[in-house]
Amino acid sequence: RWYDCDNIRFRGGFAESIGGWARDDMYTLEGIGRDCFSSRDYSGNNYVFVGTNWKYYVIVGGVPYDITALSAAVSLSPGNIFSRTNGSEFLKVTITGHGRNVDDWINFTSVASNADTNITTAILTQVDGFQITEIEDLNNFYIRIVNQTTGAVVTAADATASGLGGAVTYRYRTESGSNAQTVGMGWGTGAWGGLSPSRAWGAASTSPVLTGEARRGYIDNYGEDIIFANSGGPLYYWDTSASTVNGIPGSGGTFSLSDVVKEINSSNFTGASDPPTIVDSFLISKRDGSCVGFGANDIGGTDQNSLLVRWSDQNNPFDWTPTPTNTAGGQVLRVGSRIIGAVSTKDEVVIFTDAAVYSMRFIGPPDVFSFSLISQNVEILSHKTAVDAASSVFFMGNDGFYVYGGGAVRPLECPVADYVYDDINMDQANKSFAAVDSKFSEIFWFYPSKSGTTNGSFEANRFVCFNYENQTWTIGSFDMSALDNDAALQSSVYNRTAWRDAVITDVPMAAYIYQYDSNPSNVGSRAGANVQKTAVMKHDFGTAAQGSALQSFVESGDVEISDGNELSFYSRIMPDLLMFNSSGSSAVTISINGKYYPGESASEKASVTANFAGPTGTNPTVIRQYTVGAGSDSNSYVQSMQVRGRARAAAIKVSGSNSTAQWRLGDVRIDTQPDGMR
């Protein structure tokens, strides 16, 4: 059977290279994308949404609009809050008791007078605002001035001065979240007091415990409108019709701060009643239209209950107060210590705690929902490693892959499970996520690997894929790379961080890391904010990998020739190759890797490359005819390939590096005969 592969899928039992990918457009988003969503309004306009650890965006026609929520406006008159240094790109802002952190964002909605001949009022009141790069003290912080139209850094032109700006009105954006997933060796994480034979008294435990989580984002639609949430924050609402004109964000014809998302509360929405102010996650129940929050605070409380499920009135995400005339309510789960995640299907909501799986089914008043314990002692790997596909919920657990189809939770037989779980960087496993490509009946699980870095990648850089129609498994990496605190690994990274199936868009869309730099000195920042930028990738789009050759291969396990008792000589391969979606010349290399004795490493015994010409004939995108090598036969099409080698056991490896076509491999036939060493 097949033993190893990269960027391969199986269709009809045959291996082929996957489709390509390309950047959606030239826009970039601030922060690391943690959720990706697409929707269509009632007029047929399409939208793509991305939630990062810093911001929320809606993307229309390749243009991103920052719709991150804002605090209430504060006016200082006279403000005179700006101080600048000649030639510096950093502006000091003085706001008494500001309560902000590095990476937070601030908007100045009005400035009475220019702070500088370069740093003009128009620059200071840009709609995207500014990021805080350094906290000097409780009353002062610094921002970096960038012209958001041109992307150019703006430096002060005047001599050192303070108290500039006149009367100023400002608003903070929603507080930025961490991208760090941190673990520690805390109390209670191992044998106490040095009782372990391998550890002295008072030494740190070798068993890590999670001490800080990366922010997660959640996006779902309520009709044509969109609801957002960050882990540990409130719910936000974006009214599509009120915030757009003909599908373009900007209720007044031009996008402004009045068109951003708004927290669901009675101040922003008339009639809103007791919405949760803290949720760990949320979703919209597909069957009944309730908005369901998980790990929420109770009514009238401010403390988060990590096992509390709360839901709004049916088809009303603003009313959360249970009454005899509505369906709002709540339920505390009993098994586990926290709710990890949930998935909504057409019949029920499947909830995962850290020790059990629950079914939440709508039954109507008076109880509204019933809660059934499906399974115990099965823990999901992370908040986002479960998906609904083919009328079942597939999820990645801490020790294997599982499926729930309305009865019991059962394990999925996975021949690559050992490979995957031996490779997962468990310290960063909470950043793993599942993704569906329904066109090809595939579920991807992206995860950070141990390999390639000293401490393991801290973002997903590999995937394992299950085809639920063919019941086949593959592994791969796209063009992702390991990412850690080594500055050399923080450039040209393409790690996928969120995914949306082709629900509204023609192809799946994935958020990926466009730029990352954790060293402020590399970007000229005072103390500074990290550089974290996201872009969006279209998948199964074309045949190239972001304009470069797409690397792919599949390799078989060892095949014993003549039962392995004697050497065999192989002389010819008939590979049954096909190139499709072809737009130019391409090539596929077939290698025979063999060994003489059990236990020794295999080496390449023979290799030959099939060269395919560009599209011709009545079906220009499918090509079967190829040439081999150079010389007298280079212009003649062949049906077989001459090779020469000897081995007792051999494996076949087929690989391609193409940007103009995909390849598919049929049945491979090899001519062999018994032979000696010479």
Side-chain angles (χ1 to χ4, degrees):
R1 55 197 301 180
W2 296 110
Y3 167 76
D4 195 8
C5 70
D6 190 15
N7 299 331
I8 291 290
R9 63 166 47 105
F10 287 90
R11 284 202 295 168
F14 295 107
E16 66 180 45
S17 59
I18 62 176
W21 50 86
R23 188 173 173 180
D24 179 47
D25 215 311
M26 299 310 295
Y27 58 83
T28 57
L29 314 175
E30 296 289 349
I32 303 300
R34 293 303 179 195
D35 201 11
C36 190
F37 193 79
S38 57
S39 71
R40 178 177 293 135
D41 65 22
Y42 295 151
S43 299
N45 301 300
N46 295 341
Y47 307 88
V48 172
F49 298 89
V50 176
T52 76
N53 58 317
W54 291 345
K55 298 211 172 209
Y56 292 128
Y57 290 92
V58 57
I59 302 157
V60 178
V63 178
Y65 299 86
D66 183 350
I67 56 173
T68 312
L70 291 155
S71 67
V74 177
S75 296
L76 301 175
S77 181
N80 297 327
I81 65 174
F82 301 116
S83 307
R84 87 288 196 217
T85 301
N86 187 26
S88 174
E89 63 203 63
F90 299 100
L91 192 65
K92 184 176 180 179
V93 182
T94 301
I95 298 176
T96 302
H98 55 73
R100 297 293 100 180
N101 297 302
V102 170
D103 292 341
D104 285 348
W105 295 75
I106 185 171
N107 277 82
F108 304 104
T109 54
S110 66
V111 176
S113 61
N114 294 351
D116 188 274
T117 54
N118 282 353
I119 307 173
T120 63
T121 298
I123 292 291
L124 287 171
T125 56
Q126 293 174 111
V127 70
D128 287 345
F130 300 95
Q131 189 173 34
I132 297 173
T133 63
E134 180 183 354
I135 302 295
E136 184 175 85
D137 53 38
L138 296 176
N139 304 317
N140 298 279
F141 58 81
Y142 285 85
I143 59 177
R144 187 168 184 249
I145 306 301
V146 177
N147 185 321
Q148 293 160 7
T149 301
T150 65
V153 172
V154 180
T155 58
D158 297 336
T160 301
S162 60
L164 301 175
V168 174
T169 299
Y170 68 89
R171 302 178 72 177
Y172 294 122
R173 296 279 187 166
T174 298
E175 292 158 338
S176 294
S178 173
N179 187 49
Q181 187 78 8
T182 56
V183 295
M185 304 301 176
W187 178 273
T189 63
W192 174 79
L195 297 179
S196 168
S198 62
R199 188 161 56 92
W201 182 275
S205 167
T206 57
S207 301
V209 64
L210 184 65
T211 59
E213 286 190 298
R215 172 173 285 180
R216 305 178 308 278
Y218 299 89
I219 310 173
D220 208 342
N221 69 297
Y222 174 71
E224 68 170 358
D225 298 333
I226 306 296
I227 299 178
F228 302 80
N230 297 321
S231 53
L235 297 169
Y236 299 97
Y237 195 88
W238 197 64
D239 189 323
T240 302
S241 59
S243 302
T244 62
V245 175
N246 297 325
I248 305 298
S251 55
T254 301
F255 182 77
S256 69
L257 296 181
S258 64
D259 301 311
V260 302
V261 304
K262 297 174 177 61
E263 182 180 342
I264 296 180
N265 57 37
S266 57
S267 298
N268 293 325
F269 298 95
T270 302
S273 176
D274 291 318
T277 57
I278 303 172
V279 295
D280 198 54
S281 62
F282 92 98
L283 53 76
I284 301 298
S285 175
K286 294 179 180 178
R287 181 177 180 184
D288 53 275
S290 300
C291 184
V292 186
F294 305 96
N297 64 297
D298 211 340
I299 294 176
T302 57
D303 295 331
Q304 184 176 18
N305 184 335
S306 57
L307 283 172
L308 175 60
V309 182
R310 287 186 60 193
W311 57 89
S312 71
D313 186 22
Q314 187 177 7
N315 297 318
N316 185 351
F318 304 104
D319 185 3
W320 295 74
T321 305
T323 69
T325 58
N326 72 11
T327 58
Q331 175 73 41
V332 177
L333 304 183
R334 301 301 177 189
V335 181
S337 61
R338 66 178 299 193
I339 296 171
I340 302 296
V343 174
S344 180
T345 74
K346 62 182 179 63
D347 296 318
E348 61 192 323
V349 175
V350 181
I351 305 172
F352 301 89
T353 74
D354 54 3
V357 183
Y358 279 89
S359 170
M360 175 181 174
R361 286 181 176 266
F362 183 77
I363 57 175
D367 294 327
V368 186
F369 284 99
S370 68
F371 290 81
S372 302
L373 183 62
I374 301 170
S375 179
Q376 288 185 259
N377 302 318
V378 176
E379 184 177 350
I380 194 171
L381 181 67
S382 84
H383 299 74
K384 294 201 168 190
T385 53
V387 290
D388 175 31
S391 301
S392 296
V393 174
F394 297 85
F395 66 96
M396 185 179 188
N398 275 339
D399 58 354
F401 299 89
Y402 298 86
V403 61
Y404 166 71
V409 173
R410 60 180 180 85
L412 284 172
E413 183 180 351
C414 177
V416 296
D418 287 346
Y419 169 84
V420 172
Y421 282 90
D422 286 345
D423 187 43
I424 291 179
N425 179 10
M426 282 298 183
D427 289 349
Q428 302 295 325
N430 201 45
K431 295 179 182 177
S432 304
F433 65 96
V436 177
D437 188 346
S438 54
K439 178 180 178 181
F440 294 99
S441 305
E442 292 173 338
I443 301 169
F444 293 86
W445 282 279
F446 293 84
Y447 64 90
S449 71
K450 292 178 182 177
S451 57
T453 68
T454 302
N455 299 311
S457 180
F458 60 71
E459 292 289 347
N461 64 313
R462 291 196 59 81
F463 66 79
V464 55
C465 178
F466 176 60
N467 186 305
Y468 50 81
E469 181 178 345
N470 297 332
Q471 302 289 298
T472 55
W473 293 83
T474 52
I475 54 177
S477 60
F478 291 145
D479 52 357
M480 301 183 292
S481 58
L483 182 66
D484 72 1
N485 289 318
D486 183 349
L489 297 173
Q490 295 180 9
S491 60
S492 302
V493 294
Y494 298 101
N495 304 70
R496 309 315 194 263
T497 58
W499 182 281
R500 175 65 167 169
D501 194 13
V503 178
I504 301 299
T505 55
D506 294 334
V507 294
M509 311 287 278
Y512 73 98
I513 299 176
Y514 172 74
Q515 186 179 1
Y516 187 93
D517 194 331
S518 63
N519 186 353
S521 64
N522 292 341
V523 292
S525 173
R526 295 180 56 109
N530 294 336
V531 175
Q532 298 178 12
K533 294 185 182 296
T534 286
V536 176
M537 197 83 77
K538 298 182 286 188
H539 273 270
D540 277 313
F541 180 83
T543 56
Q546 189 76 321
S548 300
L550 195 160
Q551 309 295 326
S552 58
F553 79 87
V554 63
E555 183 175 5
S556 75
D558 286 342
V559 177
E560 290 186 345
I561 307 173
S562 300
D563 295 326
N565 293 321
E566 58 187 9
L567 285 172
S568 292
F569 174 74
Y570 33 87
S571 58
R572 186 171 62 146
I573 301 176
M574 292 167 282
D576 188 17
L577 282 167
L578 176 146
M579 304 300 284
F580 62 103
N581 292 336
S582 177
S583 61
S585 60
S586 53
V588 174
T589 298
I590 300 181
S591 305
I592 297 180
N593 302 324
K595 55 188 177 183
Y596 292 132
Y597 304 105
E600 73 175 6
S601 299
S603 60
E604 185 178 291
K605 303 300 182 184
S607 177
V608 66
T609 299
N611 298 301
F612 294 81
T616 58
T618 58
N619 192 353
T621 63
V622 177
I623 303 172
R624 287 184 176 273
Q625 295 179 317
Y626 57 88
T627 60
V628 178
S632 60
D633 65 344
S634 61
N635 295 316
S636 302
Y637 291 122
V638 297
Q639 287 75 43
S640 63
M641 310 165 80
Q642 304 300 316
V643 294
R644 188 178 183 86
R646 293 175 175 84
R648 281 192 172 89
I652 299 169
K653 183 176 181 178
V654 182
S655 57
S657 178
N658 298 299
S659 60
T660 57
Q662 293 174 254
W663 57 267
R664 181 178 299 145
L665 179 67
D667 292 323
V668 180
R669 296 169 175 84
I670 304 177
D671 283 350
T672 67
Q673 65 184 45
D675 199 13
M677 292 292 291
R678 294 181 179 273

